[in-house]
Amino acid sequence: MRLAVPGLPGALTLLGTAMLLSAFAVLIIAGLLGIFKIIIRSALDYFSSKQRVQRRLWFVQARQDQVKRLFYFKVRQIKYFNELSRKRLLKLNNRKHIRSLSKAIGKDLLSIKAKLPGTTYQQLQQDHARYRSRQDVEALLTLQQKISTLV
């Protein structure tokens, strides 16, 4: 009994608990320091001149790609609008030519009215009106040739 110390188990339990808690605290502090060190190193690496140049290069390349795509679509848009304009002008030009051809046919019909029988003249006038309303250039040309052969 003399060798037994009554407070020794309580003191050793308290010492073990304190050591365990301090080990966990050191582990947590070491982890936090490691994370902080990684964050600082990443921030320094991010703002380094090498990384700035690399990001600037990527930005310029992305901008060039964007300009190339924009140029391609602008060219397509210009071609589309030019084609629409060309078709519109072609249609207007065809109408103008059809109108002048129709006037010439009308004058030719009037000039040979006296030489033709009434039914033939009426048939030619009906053909002329039908072809003009259909905007049929080939038919108008053949009608004009037909009228010129009748003269």
Side-chain angles (χ1 to χ4, degrees):
M1 243 342 188
R2 285 169 115 206
L3 293 174
V5 180
L8 186 63
L12 286 178
T13 303
L14 189 59
L15 179 67
T17 306
M19 285 179 62
L20 188 60
L21 285 176
S22 65
F24 280 139
V26 167
L27 186 63
I28 289 173
I29 290 172
L32 290 175
L33 285 175
I35 290 173
F36 183 70
K37 187 177 179 182
I38 290 171
I39 290 171
I40 295 294
R41 191 176 303 141
S42 295
L44 290 175
D45 187 42
Y46 179 80
F47 291 109
S48 71
S49 62
K50 181 181 175 184
Q51 287 293 321
R52 280 192 315 243
V53 168
Q54 183 66 41
R55 283 191 307 275
R56 184 72 183 157
L57 178 65
W58 288 337
F59 173 77
V60 169
Q61 286 175 343
R63 182 72 179 135
Q64 280 181 336
D65 290 342
Q66 181 186 19
V67 167
K68 283 179 185 176
R69 285 191 307 273
L70 182 66
F71 178 75
Y72 171 75
F73 287 115
K74 284 286 185 183
V75 166
R76 296 241 354 223
Q77 183 183 32
I78 289 170
K79 285 181 180 178
Y80 174 75
F81 285 126
N82 282 343
E83 184 65 21
L84 281 179
S85 178
R86 187 187 70 76
K87 285 180 180 179
R88 182 181 56 83
L89 290 173
L90 183 63
K91 189 182 240 184
L92 288 175
N93 191 28
N94 283 345
R95 284 184 185 162
K96 180 181 171 186
H97 285 291
I98 287 172
R99 197 176 316 120
S100 65
L101 182 59
S102 178
K103 284 181 184 178
I105 291 172
K107 286 180 185 178
D108 289 345
L109 278 174
L110 283 177
S111 68
I112 63 166
K113 181 178 181 180
K115 300 175 187 175
L116 294 175
T119 57
T120 307
Y121 178 74
Q122 274 191 337
Q123 180 62 39
L124 290 174
Q125 268 191 329
Q126 287 173 356
D127 289 345
H128 176 237
R130 184 176 52 242
Y131 298 154
R132 184 180 58 226
S133 67
R134 278 196 279 164
Q135 301 283 313
D136 192 355
V137 177
E138 290 82 18
L140 284 172
L141 286 172
T142 55
L143 181 64
Q144 188 181 31
Q145 289 173 355
K146 185 177 178 181
I147 291 171
S148 65
T149 57
L150 290 175
V151 172

